[in-house]
Amino acid sequence: MSEFQKKAAYNVALVGATGAVGETFLNILAERNFPIAELKLLASKRSAGKELTYDGKTYKVEELTHDSFEGVDIALFSAGGGRSLEYAPSAVKAGAIVIDNSSAFRMDPTVPLVVPEVNPEDAFKHNGIIANPNCTTIIMLVALKPLYDYSKIKNVVVSSYQSTSGAGALAMEELENQARQWVNGEKLVVDKFAHQILFNVIPHVDSFTDNGYTKEEMKMFNETQKMLHDTDIKVSATCVRVPTLSAHSESVTIETVDPISPDKARELFAAAPGLEVIDDTANAKYPMPLEVAGGDTCYVGRVRTDIARDNSLTFWVVGDQLRKGAATNAVQIAELFVK
Ligand code: A2P
């Protein structure tokens, strides 16, 4: 057992404490009874002095600076890539393990990218920073892993149905505000998305790249290869924003080397950690974001043999992207080091 693991409790800093993911982090650390000695809540200057509660106690938010990390054991970053690039090295210098929720370090070959249900062993190869994968990728990988262990997967075609909270707390509010504005006959205010999100779907998550895919879609391609240590697996994603508040849904089709029957897939899914099957179409039972939001489990359903291609399987997976897709996954990574 390392010196780090011998500690009874840890000094934890949360960077981006006032954001949508930050708030979820606080709930999850408390729910999971994470062994915290001291907690430091960090955000921008704008939020300095603001009070947040954790586990019944009130904490004052402090401004993030390069000196914020003295004595910190674990720094959870969720304040955007720019802040991670600028401040994570200071946290590492101060001796903290950084678990970074942004995309800043994900494809850095010296930084492990980890989903504890998929590749926990990679976490221990860190040099101070461990990256938390993209939320849509985490949810897909939790479902792909048990199938991949049974038969190599050649390619994945996935369409996502991503909730507004994936774009931040203010984006979720924008949907709620547009609903209120519509009911009141007011002009709808569009700010956080390229178009009105109420009564709409927007096939545009993150910015477009030269190959026609968005950055979000390319994250699913690149991060899947990195976590499975398999540069042969190809992922073609179409990421779509839909007018839901929480939880991302994904329609996934995979082509495997060996065939996997729907029954076998359901058996593999049911035995996998962090995953449950809801697949009772006769009774209209399948996973839906309204029911999945607020939990840490990912749910699969609509499992069927794909009729368009050989050795192919189609299914539907839903997970709360603020929890398993972000904060829960990051806290689970931290737990690998404290047990
Ligand atoms: P703040 O509330 O002070 O702006 P979300 O993803 O919900 O938009 O949240 C983003 C998080 O990142 C918030 O906690 C936000 O703090 C924080 N943040 C944004 N810019 C900075 C900055 N320059 N320094 C520190 N924290 C920042």
Side-chain angles (χ1 to χ4, degrees):
M1 198 190 267
S2 70
E3 286 306 310
F4 196 87
Q5 279 175 316
K6 281 189 202 145
K7 292 191 182 193
Y10 298 80
N11 296 337
V12 174
L14 178 55
V15 182
T18 50
V21 179
E23 187 188 342
T24 311
F25 260 115
L26 289 175
N27 293 336
I28 285 163
L29 287 166
E31 278 170 33
R32 297 177 79 92
N33 219 356
F34 194 85
I36 293 181
E38 279 177 39
L39 178 65
K40 208 173 214 186
L41 303 183
L42 300 164
S44 77
K45 203 174 180 172
R46 296 180 291 276
S47 304
K50 192 176 168 184
E51 292 188 337
L52 294 176
T53 50
Y54 171 74
D55 215 11
K57 263 175 49 190
T58 306
Y59 291 80
K60 269 209 165 74
V61 175
E62 296 171 42
E63 181 188 355
L64 170 66
T65 70
H66 288 285
D67 300 322
S68 297
F69 301 98
E70 217 186 292
V72 169
D73 298 305
I74 298 169
L76 303 165
F77 271 71
S78 195
R83 259 68 59 196
S84 296
L85 284 171
E86 189 174 348
Y87 295 97
S90 303
V92 174
K93 217 186 247 168
I97 294 180
V98 169
I99 302 172
D100 181 35
N101 200 45
S102 81
S103 59
F105 300 105
R106 286 183 193 149
M107 295 315 294
D108 181 331
T110 67
V111 174
L113 182 69
V114 176
V115 174
E117 289 88 345
V118 176
N119 59 335
E121 61 289 346
D122 287 345
F124 300 99
K125 297 171 196 154
H126 74 85
N127 295 304
I129 303 176
I130 299 165
N132 207 40
N134 163 267
C135 51
T136 321
T137 311
I138 292 177
I139 293 163
M140 180 174 79
L141 262 279
V142 168
L144 287 190
K145 174 68 168 145
L147 305 178
Y148 186 86
D149 287 344
Y150 180 81
S151 164
K152 215 167 141 73
I153 297 171
K154 293 207 256 183
N155 58 63
V156 182
V157 178
V158 51
S159 293
S160 71
Y161 302 66
Q162 298 183 219
S163 62
T164 50
S165 55
L170 295 176
M172 183 169 65
E173 268 175 40
E174 183 158 308
L175 170 61
E176 293 172 324
N177 288 341
Q178 287 180 357
R180 237 173 264 122
Q181 288 152 1
W182 186 81
V183 167
N184 294 333
E186 296 164 9
K187 188 174 181 310
L188 272 55
V189 177
V190 175
D191 177 35
K192 293 288 164 192
F193 301 109
H195 304 276
Q196 173 187 325
I197 185 66
L198 181 73
F199 304 138
N200 202 6
V201 296
I202 307 173
H204 176 180
V205 179
D206 210 331
S207 45
F208 284 96
T209 72
D210 289 344
N211 67 3
Y213 285 87
T214 64
K215 281 190 184 163
E216 181 89 349
E217 290 158 358
M218 290 313 296
K219 286 173 198 168
M220 296 189 79
F221 181 97
N222 292 316
E223 296 181 20
T224 299
Q225 291 194 341
K226 179 165 174 173
M227 282 186 279
L228 293 175
H229 302 280
D230 181 354
T231 49
D232 292 334
I233 185 168
K234 304 288 192 289
V235 178
S236 177
T238 302
C239 291
V240 183
R241 189 73 65 188
V242 298
T244 56
L245 293 174
S246 288
H248 287 357
S249 310
E250 302 173 39
S251 164
V252 184
T253 297
I254 59 168
E255 184 182 353
T256 51
V257 171
D258 301 313
I260 308 179
S261 71
D263 281 345
K264 185 68 197 175
R266 277 187 283 264
E267 183 193 317
L268 295 167
F269 286 141
L275 195 61
E276 279 182 35
V277 179
I278 303 176
D279 200 5
D280 178 8
T281 48
N283 292 301
K285 293 225 162 62
Y286 26 72
M288 289 184 290
L290 263 187
E291 289 163 5
V292 168
D296 292 319
T297 305
C298 296
Y299 291 86
V300 279
R302 300 292 323 276
V303 184
R304 58 210 191 271
T305 299
D306 191 273
I307 53 174
R309 296 189 302 175
D310 293 336
N311 285 6
S312 296
L313 194 76
T314 291
F315 60 89
W316 175 250
V317 59
V318 186
D320 186 320
Q321 91 290 347
L322 293 177
R323 292 180 64 103
K324 181 55 193 166
T328 302
N329 196 73
V331 174
Q332 284 175 316
I333 292 172
E335 285 170 351
L336 294 172
F337 292 91
V338 309
K339 270 178 193 151

